Amino acid sequence: DRPVSPSAMRAFTLEHAVLDGSEGERGVISYRKAAQASTAKKGERRSGAEVREAPRRALLWLPGRNDAFFHPHVGSLLAELGIDLYVLNYRRVGECRRFNLFDNPMRNSHCSSGDFAEYHADVRQALEFVRSQDNYGQIIGYSHSTGSPVLLDYLMAHGDSEFSGFVFNSPFLDWGWVGGRLSKLLVVHLPSLLTKLRVWNDESEILGGGGPSAWALQLFSQYNFDPDSRPLFTVPVTVGYCRGINRVHALLRRHSAAGAPITIKPFVVLTSKGDDVLNGDETMIHAHAIGPNRTLIELNYARHDVFASADNEVVHAALAYLRTWLKSQHFA
C-alpha cells in the first residue's frame, strides 16, 4: 500500500503566488489555510470575557534540494490542528520549475552565488506574505534537508524573532554518506580552494546530471508527486551549491564552538538511523548547535524525508511524533 494515495495527492490543492524576488530571481509561495474551527462546544454559551480565542498559527515549510511539497498527509495533520500551511519554494526549487522561473532545468537547487545569503530575500518575502494573510500569533518554521541550512543561515543573519518554534526534518548539518572520509574532505575543501585558483567557478559541476534518478523514481512510485515540480532525472551537484552549504556548516561550527545558540525557541529534529543520504547519528550530534530548547527523535527505518518513508507504519510514527511535539509546545 502507498502511504499516500494518488487521489489524496490530487485532492490536496494549494494556491500559489510568485514572490517579488531579487537580482532577477524569484520564488513561489504555495499555501492552504486550515478550516476555521469554533472553540466552543455546540450549544454552549459564554460571555465575551470568558471567550479566549486561540492565536492563529501558521507553518512556513522550506523543502530540500530538488524537492517540492508532496505531503498531503502532513498538510492534513496541520489542518486538523488548526495550523495554516505556507510552502516557500525558494528560487530554483519546487514550484519555480512549474512556473518556469529559471531557464536551465539542470540548475534546479543551484546556488548561483555560492552563498546561501541569496535566499534571505525569499525567506523575508515569504514571511511578509504570511503576515499579510492573517494576524498570526505563532509562526513555526519547518525545513527538510537543504531547506535547513537555508533557514538556519537566515536565522544567523536576522535572528529568530519572527518565529515561535521550528521543525527540522533530517536537516543537512553534515555531508553524511558522501563516500567516506576522503570524499567528505574533498567536497568540504576543494570547491573553495579551486574557485580561488579560478580552476572552478560556481557553475562548475562536481557531479554531472542527466538520465533518470533511481532514488527519485523509487520515491515517485509511492508518492506520485508532480514531475514538473520535483525532477525525476539526476540533477548536477554544482560548486555553487557546495560552497553555499560549506559556508553555513562552517558558521554553525563557529556558533557551536562559541556556545552561541542560533535560537532559544523550541525545536524538534526528526531524523533516521537508516537515512540513505545523511548520517542520522551525525545529524543528532550537530543539531545541538542549533540551541538548547531541543527535542531530538531518531527513527530506525525512515527515509531521508521521514514523512516520505517507504513503510506506512514509519510514516504514521513520524506523524504521531510531530503531533505530540506540536501539542506539547502549545502550537496546536
Side-chain angles (χ1 to χ4, degrees):
D1 292 339
R2 293 185 178 190
V4 179
S5 68
S7 60
M9 197 74 73
R10 289 190 298 269
F12 195 90
T13 58
L14 297 167
E15 296 183 66
H16 308 283
V18 177
L19 299 172
D20 292 336
S22 64
E23 300 178 352
E25 300 279 1
R26 293 184 293 172
V28 176
I29 188 126
S30 308
Y31 59 101
R32 181 184 175 105
K33 293 191 175 184
Q36 298 287 341
S38 172
T39 56
K41 295 179 182 177
K42 188 175 181 180
E44 181 183 6
R45 288 191 173 185
R46 294 181 291 176
S47 68
E50 293 173 322
V51 174
R52 294 292 181 269
E53 220 177 278
R56 296 287 295 147
R57 300 177 175 97
L59 181 140
L60 180 61
W61 180 297
L62 278 69
R65 180 178 181 268
N66 302 329
D67 201 9
F69 180 85
F70 57 96
H71 303 71
H73 49 312
V74 185
S76 296
L77 170 62
L78 297 175
E80 177 191 329
L81 298 176
I83 300 171
D84 293 346
L85 170 66
Y86 294 85
V87 179
L88 169 57
N89 306 274
Y90 46 92
R91 56 193 68 189
R92 296 180 294 276
V93 167
E95 295 298 322
C96 297
R97 285 172 50 81
R98 196 162 62 81
F99 280 76
N100 297 314
L101 296 181
F102 60 101
D103 297 329
N104 186 350
M106 287 296 180
R107 287 297 175 261
N108 206 98
S109 292
H110 168 55
C111 179
S112 61
S113 65
D115 190 335
F116 276 20
E118 73 174 69
Y119 301 119
H120 292 185
D122 299 345
V123 178
R124 176 179 51 77
Q125 290 171 19
L127 286 165
E128 289 172 355
F129 182 89
V130 171
R131 287 194 296 268
S132 75
Q133 296 299 299
D134 210 318
N135 184 27
Y136 290 107
Q138 296 174 327
I139 298 178
I140 305 154
Y142 171 102
S143 60
H144 167 58
S145 196
T146 295
S148 297
V150 171
L151 178 57
L152 290 168
D153 197 58
Y154 179 87
L155 296 176
M156 287 187 283
H158 301 283
D160 64 358
S161 62
E162 295 168 290
F163 295 92
S164 302
F166 304 92
V167 177
F168 297 102
N169 172 3
S170 296
F172 186 1
L173 306 180
D174 184 86
W175 277 99
W177 307 115
V178 294
R181 290 184 180 276
L182 178 60
S183 295
K184 185 181 291 188
L185 188 67
L186 294 177
V187 81
V188 168
H189 296 290
L190 278 187
S192 178
L193 174 62
L194 295 185
T195 301
K196 287 179 180 177
L197 296 175
R198 299 188 178 182
V199 176
W200 283 345
N201 59 41
D202 286 325
E203 295 293 324
S204 302
E205 298 177 2
I206 293 178
L207 293 176
S213 166
W215 194 88
L217 288 168
Q218 181 191 52
L219 195 62
F220 179 73
S221 70
Q222 288 188 295
Y223 287 89
N224 200 226
F225 50 79
D226 184 355
D228 285 340
S229 300
R230 195 185 197 288
L232 291 173
F233 55 85
T234 301
V235 177
V237 177
T238 64
V239 168
Y241 173 80
C242 292
R243 289 208 310 134
I245 286 289
N246 289 336
R247 285 175 189 267
V248 179
H249 285 178
L251 195 52
L252 282 168
R253 304 294 183 267
R254 288 199 291 272
H255 271 259
S256 180
I262 296 163
T263 181
I264 58 172
K265 304 286 177 67
F267 68 92
V268 61
V269 174
L270 291 154
T271 188
S272 173
K273 190 173 282 291
D275 193 322
D276 48 347
V277 177
L278 303 178
N279 183 321
D281 291 341
E282 288 184 355
T283 300
M284 286 299 191
I285 292 170
H286 294 305
H288 286 71
I290 298 173
N293 198 354
R294 56 186 174 264
T295 301
L296 307 180
I297 300 169
E298 188 174 30
L299 302 169
N300 281 328
Y301 304 110
R303 274 193 179 123
H304 176 51
D305 181 345
V306 300
F307 298 113
S309 296
D311 193 311
N312 280 339
E313 291 185 2
V314 176
V315 175
H316 293 155
L319 290 170
Y321 281 123
L322 177 60
R323 177 199 296 273
T324 299
W325 184 82
L326 288 169
K327 295 184 82 169
S328 72
Q329 300 299 324
H330 304 289
F331 292 142

